[in-house]
């Protein structure tokens, strides 16, 4: 019997996706550049389903039913192009090439257009959930053509995570939409992780609460509106004791956070779109400063802090919980707003309620509040911004006094809270009647004749700053 799908690239993620497919009743053809990995997978897990061993891409292609489905799981960038270039001459019109790695969406758009010109389908698929998700049910975000999803979707839906019987997999949109949504998911993940870290730091450095006690606090938080995978595992990490030293695990880990690039891509893409993802950006920069260990060592000996002695607000732990909730919600709001901007730019029909539903299980940012986010975007009355949804207007509004107290306390204590504070600034920036951008426009017009608008009449204007300072209609000057 021919295989339903082929997988090339059998490192951990590729191997686990192949095993997931086989466990769900699909015959999977296996290929890896070094056949030893194929044989190792079959030796360890060959009894989990029906596999076909191949030693070359030609053998892989020959073993597949039509339309052929070939899933690539190799490192993003040039390695993907290399595999695609080798595959294309072996395929027939209507066959589907699937990139399930963390490729940049612009690369996916380029590859999709190139293969479409050859009568082939290229599908960029966002897969979230790490190694465990890939094996047991990830959140899956496929792009590509609708026609390709008709042939590929049933397989992906079956192996995805499920909530209430519904798969955490759905067609996102054309060309690079799937990888774009996965990228933004990762950007939200960066901000979520950073703001949880800031809450930990406030409770430790501000309130003197040790990790073991914080583990209990986080476990309690995980029973309410903060319930999420990241809060759950934070409690687990905080409660872990290092076997070698007997110290809290977090005290023996080097405080320098790594990154693989998707958070940075989110911020770069947001700048191109003019989408203000300030909380996500600050989380990326926070990882950057954590990695500048040499400079931090000098700063600890050189830079004055002048921290103020301040009494912690009453119920400080509860204040931090509320500020954490509000800041987490801003991260989602910024990410979803960025998706709206991208949909307009690239002609994608992104359904935000459906995207939120894909994130309810299998992925890193799965959280209880996604149910409320889904509800906010259902129906015709969709909010311009997630924070404008009636349920969140009320819940975030109730958290604002605590949010302000936490940020003010952190500043006085010299505890950096870049995502707490930038998220609050974003919230205030949205709600302020007047922003200082008016002065900026005046500056731009003075030094560069960049023009400005007026609040009292339509049109575009310029002041003759080097002359008599009279105002002229900018249209008439060109």
């Amino acid at each position: 019997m021919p295989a339903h799908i082929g997988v090339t690239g059998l490192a951990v993620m590729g191997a686990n996706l192949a095993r997931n497919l086989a466990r769900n009743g699909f015959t999977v053809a296996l290929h890896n550049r070094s056949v030893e990995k194929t044989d190792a997978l079959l030796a360890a897990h060959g009894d989990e389903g029906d596999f076909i061993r191949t030693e070359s891409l030609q053998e892989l292609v020959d073993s597949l039913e039509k339309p052929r489905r070939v899933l690539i799981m190799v490192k993003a960038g040039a390695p993907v192009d290399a595999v695609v270039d080798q595959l294309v001459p072996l395929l027939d019109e209507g066959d589907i090439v699937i990139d399930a790695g963390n490729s940049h969406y612009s690369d996916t758009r380029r590859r999709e257009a190139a293969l479409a010109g050859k009568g082939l389908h290229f599908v960029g698929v966002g897969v979230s959930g790490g190694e465990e998700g890939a094996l047991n049910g990830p959140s899956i975000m496929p792009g590509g053509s609708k026609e390709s999803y008709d042939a590929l979707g049933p397989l992906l839906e079956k192996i995805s995570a499920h909530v209430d019987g519904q798969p955490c997999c759905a067609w996102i949109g054309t060309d690079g939409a799937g990888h774009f949504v996965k990228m933004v998911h990762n950007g939200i993940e960066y901000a979520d992780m950073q703001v949880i870290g800031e809450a930990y730091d406030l409770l430790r450095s501000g309130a003197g609460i040790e990790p073991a006690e914080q583990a209990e606090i986080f476990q309690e938080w995980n029973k309410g509106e903060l319930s999420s995978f990241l809060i759950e595992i934070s409690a687990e990490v905080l409660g872990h004791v290092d076997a070698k030293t007997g110290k809290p695990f977090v005290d023996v880990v080097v405080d320098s956070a790594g990154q693989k690039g998707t958070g940075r891509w989110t911020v770069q893409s947001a700048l191109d779109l003019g989408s203000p993802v300030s909380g996500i950006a600050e989380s990326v920069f926070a990882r950057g400063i954590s990695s500048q260990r040499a400079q931090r060592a000098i700063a600890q000996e050189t830079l004055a802090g002048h921290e103020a002695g301040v009494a912690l607000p009453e119920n400080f732990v509860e204040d931090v919980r509320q500020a954490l909730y509000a800041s987490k919600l801003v991260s989602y709001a910024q990410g979803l707003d960025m998706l709206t901007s991208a949909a307009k730019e690239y002609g994608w029909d992104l359904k935000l309620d459906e995207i939120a539903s894909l994130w309810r299980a299998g992925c890193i940012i799965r959280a209880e509040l996604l149910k409320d986010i889904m509800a906010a975007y259902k129906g015709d009355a969709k909010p311009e911004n997630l924070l404008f949804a009636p349920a969140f207007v009320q819940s975030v509004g109730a958290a604002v006094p605590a949010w302000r107290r936490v940020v003010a306390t952190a500043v006085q204590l010299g505890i950096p809270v870049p995502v707490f504070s930038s998220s609050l600034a974003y919230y205030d920036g949205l709600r302020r009647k007047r922003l200082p951008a008016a002065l900026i426009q005046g500056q731009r017009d003075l030094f560069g004749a960049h023009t400005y608008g007026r609040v009292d009449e339509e049109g575009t204007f310029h002041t003759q700053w080097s002359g008599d300072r009279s105002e002229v209609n900018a249209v008439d000057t060109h």
Side-chain angles (χ1 to χ4, degrees), residues 128-430:
S128 179
E131 299 172 11
E132 182 180 347
L135 181 61
N136 298 316
S139 171
I140 305 179
M141 296 152 264
S145 67
K146 186 65 171 68
E147 181 184 353
S148 67
Y149 190 75
D150 291 340
L152 180 62
L155 283 75
L156 298 182
E157 290 178 14
K158 192 165 185 181
I159 69 167
S160 73
H162 285 66
V163 177
D164 299 328
Q166 297 299 310
C168 292
C169 173
W171 181 62
I172 297 293
T174 55
D175 53 70
H179 274 147
F180 190 95
V181 170
K182 172 56 164 55
M183 176 188 73
V184 172
H185 162 285
N186 284 24
I188 296 171
E189 176 187 313
Y190 271 55
D192 204 346
M193 294 173 72
Q194 173 64 26
V195 82
I196 291 172
E198 291 173 17
Y200 152 74
D201 198 10
L202 283 162
L203 296 182
R204 184 82 182 276
S205 303
I209 302 175
E210 292 299 307
E213 186 179 349
Q214 284 203 44
E216 297 177 2
I217 291 171
F218 273 70
Q219 287 170 359
E220 193 62 32
W221 285 356
N222 199 45
K223 297 175 183 177
E225 60 189 358
L226 283 177
S227 175
S228 65
F229 172 71
L230 284 172
I231 292 290
E232 176 187 342
I233 66 170
S234 296
E236 189 172 345
V237 172
L238 287 166
H240 184 54
V241 175
D242 178 54
K244 292 181 181 178
T245 64
K247 296 179 179 179
F249 173 73
V250 289
D251 286 351
V252 301
V253 175
V254 174
D255 59 340
S256 176
Q259 55 179 300
K260 292 188 175 179
T262 47
R264 182 174 69 251
W265 291 351
T266 304
V267 177
Q268 291 169 337
S269 300
L271 289 170
D272 292 337
L273 292 166
S275 185
V277 295
S278 52
I280 295 172
E282 287 292 352
S283 70
V284 175
F285 294 139
R287 292 195 187 191
I289 199 169
S290 78
S291 299
Q292 294 184 324
R293 291 177 55 77
Q295 289 192 31
R296 288 172 55 204
I298 297 169
Q300 289 162 32
E301 301 296 329
T302 307
L303 302 182
H306 299 295
E307 294 91 342
V310 58
L312 293 181
E314 190 176 355
N315 300 319
F316 183 64
V317 173
E318 173 59 16
D319 277 0
V320 172
R321 186 196 69 80
Q322 291 190 42
L324 176 56
Y325 168 77
S327 298
K328 281 166 69 78
L329 195 60
V330 165
S331 300
Y332 283 92
Q334 291 179 350
L336 293 169
D337 191 53
M338 183 176 170
L339 293 182
T340 299
S341 298
K344 294 175 183 176
E345 177 71 18
Y346 299 117
W348 297 329
D349 181 21
L350 300 183
K351 298 176 175 61
L352 299 186
D353 59 330
E354 194 168 81
I355 290 170
S357 77
L358 304 186
W359 295 343
R360 288 182 299 160
C363 70
I364 306 302
I365 64 171
R366 57 187 185 265
E368 277 297 310
L369 59 80
L370 283 161
K371 294 179 181 177
D372 292 332
I373 293 175
M374 286 173 57
Y377 287 104
K378 278 188 186 290
D380 297 326
K382 296 177 173 58
E384 285 291 313
N385 185 296
L386 178 64
L387 298 177
F388 304 161
F392 295 129
V393 168
Q394 183 176 357
S395 61
V396 176
V400 167
W403 202 1
R404 295 197 189 285
R405 286 193 296 269
V406 166
V407 171
T409 301
V411 170
Q412 290 178 298
L413 293 174
I415 300 173
V417 286
V419 177
F420 271 129
S421 55
S422 66
S423 298
L424 179 56
Y426 173 84
Y427 178 86
D428 283 333
L430 286 175

